[in-house]
Amino acid sequence: MLKIHRSDPQLIVQLRFSGRQTCGRFLRAYREGALRATLQGYLARALALNAVPLQLELRAGAEQLDAVLTDEERCLNCICAQKPDRLRDEELTELEDALRNLTCGSAAGQGGDVQGTPAPSQSLAPSPPEEKPPPPPPGQTFFFQGQPIVNRPLNLQDQQKFARSVGLKWRKVGRSLQRSCRALRDPALDSLAYEYEREGLYEQAFQLLRRFVQAEGRRATLQRLVEALEENELTSLAEDLLGLANPDGGLA
């Protein structure tokens, strides 16, 4: 598994196969309904239901493979042509480590362990209490690299500068901001990554700050963003936002 996206009512799981033989076995299990039956069985036990309706869809990039499953060679070629564009999600690794250490009682080993599985996008540890910072009073300042900076709500120009320069680290900045912003919890970040994947990193980063501003209003301040950037070693981007960088890369 590379990534899990939760986008209600869908759960999107991205997979990478180690070879054509493994991929072929997966395709046959999917085509013959064995995969669906297994998933439905686990879900029924986890949810304590007699049956769970489940709709599956198989894609390789933009190619929808369900209509051509009988042509296994074509499906294999489509899947093998895809190159993963992201590293394995570190949250998925943490989840697997936690599951290995999870004790689920006498049902373990017989399928009952699914009942102890937490939602993929939720943290296993309890969330710390959310602390809402007050809106900045007029003229309030904070210090950046020893210089006093007037704090203010974020504006459109800030969002555009951030989106142009943050690159792949937009999610790390989002995780820093989420500690005081419930709207940026991990499921929301997963949703942004999935919904704007085709548009690219700029749009994903822009929508991150857009959601931050929509949720926090005037509390979505320059100081909070700069602190999140510093935490993720994006000092040069913070300097650009604050207008402290000269064209030659030095401080103004």
Side-chain angles (χ1 to χ4, degrees):
M1 286 188 191
L2 288 176
K3 182 65 187 169
I4 293 177
H5 296 294
R6 188 176 67 185
S7 182
D8 189 45
Q10 296 175 319
L11 182 69
I12 300 100
V13 182
Q14 293 184 335
L15 304 174
R16 181 179 63 188
F17 297 96
S18 57
R20 291 177 71 92
Q21 186 176 4
T22 305
C23 186
R25 287 199 300 269
F26 171 84
L27 283 171
R28 287 189 289 276
Y30 183 91
R31 183 177 64 240
E32 294 165 3
L35 177 63
R36 179 194 300 272
T38 300
L39 291 174
Q40 285 180 314
Y42 276 119
L43 287 171
R45 286 192 290 273
L47 301 174
L49 297 173
N50 292 328
V52 177
L54 184 64
Q55 180 177 348
L56 299 182
E57 183 178 286
L58 183 62
R59 289 181 175 272
E63 189 82 14
Q64 217 277 353
L65 300 181
D66 292 88
V68 293
L69 283 174
T70 53
D71 189 348
E72 185 171 309
E73 190 64 25
R74 177 179 172 182
C75 292
L76 284 169
N77 290 335
C78 288
I79 292 172
C80 292
Q82 295 298 316
K83 301 294 183 183
D85 59 358
R86 58 178 61 78
L87 296 176
R88 198 169 189 274
D89 189 358
E90 63 272 18
E91 289 182 348
L92 201 56
T93 302
E94 293 172 5
L95 177 61
E96 287 179 346
D97 291 340
L99 288 176
R100 277 193 288 270
N101 297 323
L102 191 62
T103 302
C104 299
S106 59
Q110 300 178 357
D113 55 341
V114 176
Q115 296 178 5
T117 303
S121 298
Q122 294 174 345
S123 173
L124 293 169
S127 300
E130 183 177 345
E131 297 179 1
K132 285 279 188 181
Q140 183 194 45
T141 61
F142 65 97
F143 283 89
F144 175 77
Q145 297 184 346
Q147 298 189 45
I149 306 294
V150 176
N151 197 18
R152 57 171 174 77
L154 295 173
N155 56 36
L156 178 61
Q157 186 177 15
D158 298 326
Q159 296 176 51
Q160 292 170 337
K161 283 185 178 180
F162 172 82
R164 279 197 300 268
S165 304
V166 71
L168 289 167
K169 287 192 172 182
W170 70 268
R171 286 192 69 154
K172 291 187 175 181
V173 175
R175 289 188 181 117
S176 296
L177 292 171
Q178 74 180 207
R179 288 196 290 270
S180 59
C181 179
R182 189 177 300 276
L184 296 182
R185 293 292 192 249
D186 287 341
L189 298 183
D190 289 341
S191 178
L192 288 174
Y194 177 69
E195 290 175 23
Y196 298 99
E197 184 174 20
R198 288 183 181 274
E199 288 82 354
L201 293 172
Y202 176 93
E203 192 62 27
Q204 289 170 331
F206 184 87
Q207 294 296 331
L208 170 72
L209 283 196
R210 182 171 178 267
R211 185 164 298 189
F212 179 51
V213 171
Q214 286 178 336
E216 298 292 295
R218 292 183 58 80
R219 295 184 178 88
T221 61
L222 189 61
Q223 180 179 0
R224 292 173 71 183
L225 178 56
V226 167
E227 289 173 351
L229 292 173
E230 286 188 288
E231 184 177 320
N232 291 284
E233 300 179 350
L234 293 167
T235 306
S236 60
L237 176 50
E239 292 169 354
D240 187 31
L241 279 173
L242 300 174
L244 300 178
N246 283 327
D248 61 3
L251 288 180

